[in-house]
Amino acid sequence: MASENSPLLAYRLLGDEGSAFPASGVGGPGGPSPRKLSTFLGVVVPTVLSMFSIVVFLRIGFVVGHAGLLQALAMLLVAYFILALTVLSVCAIATNGAVRGGGAYFMISRTLGPEVGGSIGLMFYLANVCGCAVSLLGLVESVLDVFGADATGPSGIRVLPQGYGWNLLYGSLLLGLVGGVCTLGAGLYARASFLTFLLVSGSLASVLVSFVAVGPKDIRLTPRPGTNGSSLPPRFGHFTGFNSSTLKDNLGAGYAEDYTTGAMMNFASVFAVLFNGCTGIMAGANMSGELKDPSRAIPLGTIIAVVYTFFIYILLFFLSSFTCDRTLLQEDYGFFRAISLWPPLVLIGIYATSLSASMSSLIGASRILHALAQDDLFGVILAPAKVVSGGGNPWGAVLYSWGLVQLVLLVGKLNTLAAVVTVFYLVAYAAVDLSCLSLEWASAPNFRPTFSLFSWHTCLLGVASCLLMMFLISPGAAGGSLLLMCLLSALLTARGGPSSWGYVSQALLFHQVRKYLLRLDVRKEHVKFWRPQLLLLVGNPRGALPLLRLANQLKKGGLYVLGHVILGDLDSLPSDPVQPQYGAWLSLVDQAQVKAFVDLTLASSVRQGAQHLLRISGLGGMKPNTLVLGFYDDAPPQDHFLTDPAFSEPADGTREGGSPALSTLFPPPRAPGSPRALSPQDYVATMADALKMNKNVVLARACGALPPERLSRGSWSTAQLHHVDVWPLNLLRPRGGPGYVDVCGLFLLQMATILGMVPAWHSARLRIFLCLGPQEAPGAAEGRLRALLSQLRIRAEVQEVVWGEGAGAGSPEEEEEGDFVNGGRGEAEAEALACSANALVRAQQGQGSGGGPGGPEGGDEGPATALTFLYLPRPPADPARYTRYLALLEILSRDLGPTLLIHGVTPVTCTDL
């Protein structure tokens, strides 16, 4: 059972002002830090700056020039439609509970679990790292356009040397500046972001005014890289002012080569660059650990930022299409500076927005990394990211991220990274949509966000849109990102993660299981789809471990319930003793590697508890139809925990994770001769109760003698053959004729066949013993049995044995069923019959000099019998004869090795298709 405390305990219910507030701010999942950022400074400002980034100044011409106004608007609508769907999901999750540090990673991991959340969180972190590098590369590009040694145009100052190494140096210096601001904390970052927001707003305002105030002019274009600009005539682009013919020429697409990379542009490549500039919607969510009220600030601030940037982009697209010819748009991505009333202000805006976007990506990446490190999903690899300052600033994560950004800067070109960054962002967005979709589909009562402008349709559409755009932008990057996510998820699954976060998968499974259980109509059951559904009653699992595994093999995909009765009276107890024991039994199921449910009950007697379990175990159409019991004999109990390798535990009595060892959770086996919780009378009465409830009964004896290989989950290949013997005749009721055709005999055949389907029993040969009367001619009954086996598709070896001679006078018609059991004959005669039947069975088992009769160790005379199936007679009607009945069963199965005595009451085989 989950041991996590209620989330309400993390809050003080009465604060100093009489209102509810968190007991402590949380900067990450494990570390406190002050929450001091407002909606505007903590969400609106960083989100706007991240969504503008370098695109708003240096890629408006790129998008409109190549795609044309109509396709550019279509791209923008598609991009913002995808973003809007994701924003709705973010708002829903953020308003459904307290959001701690880590932003999108926190939302995904606490919904989809650590395996999926951790893998996508790491990918989202890498997306922010690459986004920081993209912003810095754009900033270097814009600086060198003006101050580079190869700069062209009248405004080129030409003081900075250019080249790959120099560009890397400039990017590294700028990264040092950005890293320094982020290392000093969120407060300085917020102030720096607000300053850059003012500068960017002023710069955009000047550009918008310039479109109207500046008259037509020719703008000299920069020579393409790799060409000798001095030997070629100058090329000019034209700023026409507001001109309808210019707008008409710019409506359609005109994809050409990108003059910075030489690559041919198309819809996907242009959309990748545009979408990359709009992917900053998580910038505010990434700061969730520093927000005063993240549940309010994240949805409100993100929506404001998205709406604001959308209208600014549309306005710039229209103004550019009305006033600039296609040559200018395609050959000078920084034409804003050329048409501005005061060009330096545009430069200030470019530098400010690039620095701010890089700061936002770096500090967001550091917060995600710190949250990942605090959750300890990747072990010592992220250990340095746990380091925080006295004020709660995770400077270790900042330095860690700074180093990775430095590595990404080695790649070089801006557009080279755009597709990869965009795909990684889309993976994270799809995961957020999937998280919200899962919560909505699970119909969990605690999922009631205050933001209600969403539905499962928007979530599903968001997931589909993100996946579609991933493969449209870059099929290779999309496939690689999904493969990386699967590998990381597999790694985290193998490593194990926290189990107290709550898995939405469990809620979804509950929802689906309930739905299909309602459809599983018991009135539509048919014998050809019958399968065993077992209830195994276990007193102490230490002595029942082999039986527990054998029953797991017999279930054939059916229901398997481990039942245990705790003796007591709830009226005389202070609390229910059943619930605390579930954890130990579930751990037993996990460690024994069996697919079983656990059902415990409290009763005044074992018999009464067994009745409870038989009646109420299971649900709907999945209820036990077969009761399995260990045999009641005088054999001393064995402690299989001491010999089973799966239950070997450290000497200190603890398992991995600090949980107590199973040997400390279950009492030691009963000492020989000590009192039992169940009397022989009640044992047989429990069998009789099950048969009255129309349940089949299986008694298992000497299962501890089965070799461990037979109880394993894999196949067992052995050079020595083994047999599974089936005696489908009631040996305590001698009569001639084909007694195997009754319901109980067919049930034995079915159970033996099911066991043979298990890989560990594939090598065992099924033998069926056909009992003939003393006067019956051999051959005829065997032919009928083989015909029946052929119809039932059962492969088995049939052997005829004579049985019934000297058992007593009278014809079969004169004998009542259970004569010897019910006392129709003398006690001595009944015991003699049981001894004769036991000797007959042992005589047919493969006995050798190397092992006991019927044991799993074979001898030299032939294959040994690994397991024997015997017909279990129905208990006598008179309870006074229960003890005698049990004594006859003990004689019948004595020294036979592993034996299953079975009485079936329901038809289980069918010859129809």
Side-chain angles (χ1 to χ4, degrees), residues 484-518:
L484 176 61
M485 182 187 71
C486 293
L487 292 176
L488 291 172
S489 298
L491 172 65
L492 292 174
T493 300
R495 190 174 184 274
S499 60
S500 60
W501 291 357
Y503 292 80
V504 73
S505 59
Q506 294 296 306
L508 287 171
L509 285 173
F510 179 89
H511 185 72
Q512 294 301 310
V513 167
R514 180 194 63 85
K515 179 172 72 175
Y516 288 113
L517 272 176
L518 290 172

Side-chain angles (χ1 to χ4, degrees), residues 148-223:
D150 299 332
T152 58
S155 59
I157 302 179
R158 304 181 181 88
V159 295
L160 296 177
Q162 292 185 243
Y164 174 78
W166 288 105
N167 293 359
L168 180 60
L169 175 62
Y170 302 146
S172 300
L173 293 175
L174 292 171
L175 176 59
L177 173 62
V178 170
V181 173
C182 295
T183 304
L184 294 178
L188 180 61
Y189 161 75
R191 290 191 289 271
S193 295
F194 181 64
L195 176 61
T196 55
F197 178 77
L198 294 179
L199 294 175
V200 170
S201 299
S203 179
L204 283 176
S206 72
V207 169
L208 295 176
V209 172
S210 298
F211 274 113
V212 179
V214 174
K217 59 189 299 188
D218 295 335
I219 300 171
R220 184 172 180 176
L221 303 177
T222 303

Side-chain angles (χ1 to χ4, degrees), residues 125-126 128-137 168 171-172 175 178 358 361-362 365 398-411 417:
Y125 165 74
L126 294 176
N128 277 274
V129 167
C130 294
C132 178
V134 166
S135 298
L136 291 174
L137 289 172
L168 180 60
S172 300
L175 176 59
V178 170
S358 60
S361 296
L362 183 60
V398 175
L399 294 180
Y400 202 111
S401 305
W402 173 86
L404 288 181
V405 175
Q406 184 64 61
L407 292 176
V408 178
L409 288 177
L410 296 173
V411 175
L417 294 171

Side-chain angles (χ1 to χ4, degrees), residues 721-726 728 749 764-770 782 785-786 789 794-800 844 863:
L721 295 176
H722 286 71
H723 287 146
V724 173
D725 292 348
V726 181
L749 293 177
R765 292 183 177 179
L766 181 62
R767 291 194 304 179
I768 301 175
F769 290 93
L770 178 59
E782 181 181 350
L785 177 58
R786 290 190 183 278
L789 294 177
I794 296 176
R795 288 186 176 184
E797 174 186 345
V798 179
Q799 293 189 10
E800 291 183 332
Q844 301 302 322

Side-chain angles (χ1 to χ4, degrees), residues 784-795 911:
R784 293 194 298 271
L785 177 58
R786 290 190 183 278
L788 176 64
L789 294 177
S790 176
Q791 287 183 314
L792 297 177
R793 290 86 60 202
I794 296 176
R795 288 186 176 184
T911 59

Side-chain angles (χ1 to χ4, degrees), residues 713-725:
R713 301 177 68 183
S715 60
W716 184 36
S717 60
T718 177
Q720 186 177 19
L721 295 176
H722 286 71
H723 287 146
V724 173
D725 292 348

